[in-house]
Amino acid sequence: DIYEARISLYDILPSYIRPTMIDLSLTNDASRSYQPLDDASTLLQHDFVLPPQSSARLTIDYDPVLLPFQQYPSDPNRGIEVPPSWAVWNGTAAIPDASTVLYSQSLLLL
């Protein structure tokens, strides 16, 4: 279909988040890759095609990892920040050169 959008969804999971289940709810096939990074975090990448008038939902269940107290932020009431996710919309067949990057808000774990 000329109006299907090609989406790439990226998540960086820091070392203190251990995913137990990752579920991407789609009506079609999606490719996934998990890449360990140098700092013990993990880059999750999901590539899929989204038909018109449809949506995608990514849920990640995780077990928190207890950190040594030296790795906590200086303000214990602040918590630890998880980097935001981002999605790249690579246009459609009707508009092939269009590309947009969307960022989520960062997550604060207390």
Side-chain angles (χ1 to χ4, degrees):
D1 189 8
I2 65 170
Y3 296 108
E4 291 180 335
R6 296 179 307 276
I7 308 288
S8 297
L9 181 64
Y10 300 92
D11 272 304
I12 294 180
L13 297 180
S15 61
Y16 47 84
I17 295 179
R18 184 179 307 130
T20 56
M21 186 178 81
I22 300 171
D23 181 31
L24 179 61
S25 301
L26 292 172
T27 56
N28 55 5
D29 293 331
S31 67
R32 298 178 181 186
S33 67
Y34 307 100
Q35 175 184 355
L37 301 176
D38 292 339
D39 61 352
S41 57
T42 303
L43 173 66
L44 304 177
Q45 179 179 353
H46 305 277
D47 297 313
F48 53 94
V49 175
L50 199 59
Q53 303 299 319
S54 62
S55 62
R57 181 183 185 114
L58 175 69
T59 56
I60 300 175
D61 292 334
Y62 67 92
D63 287 333
V65 175
L66 295 176
L67 296 174
F69 74 92
Q70 299 92 345
Q71 292 184 5
Y72 279 91
S74 58
D75 180 5
N77 295 320
R78 169 83 173 116
I80 299 174
E81 196 165 351
V82 177
S85 303
W86 69 97
V88 179
W89 176 70
N90 294 312
T92 64
I95 313 169
D97 295 334
S99 181
T100 302
V101 180
L102 303 170
Y103 293 93
S104 71
Q105 294 182 347
S106 60
L107 179 66
L108 192 61
L109 298 177
L110 298 175

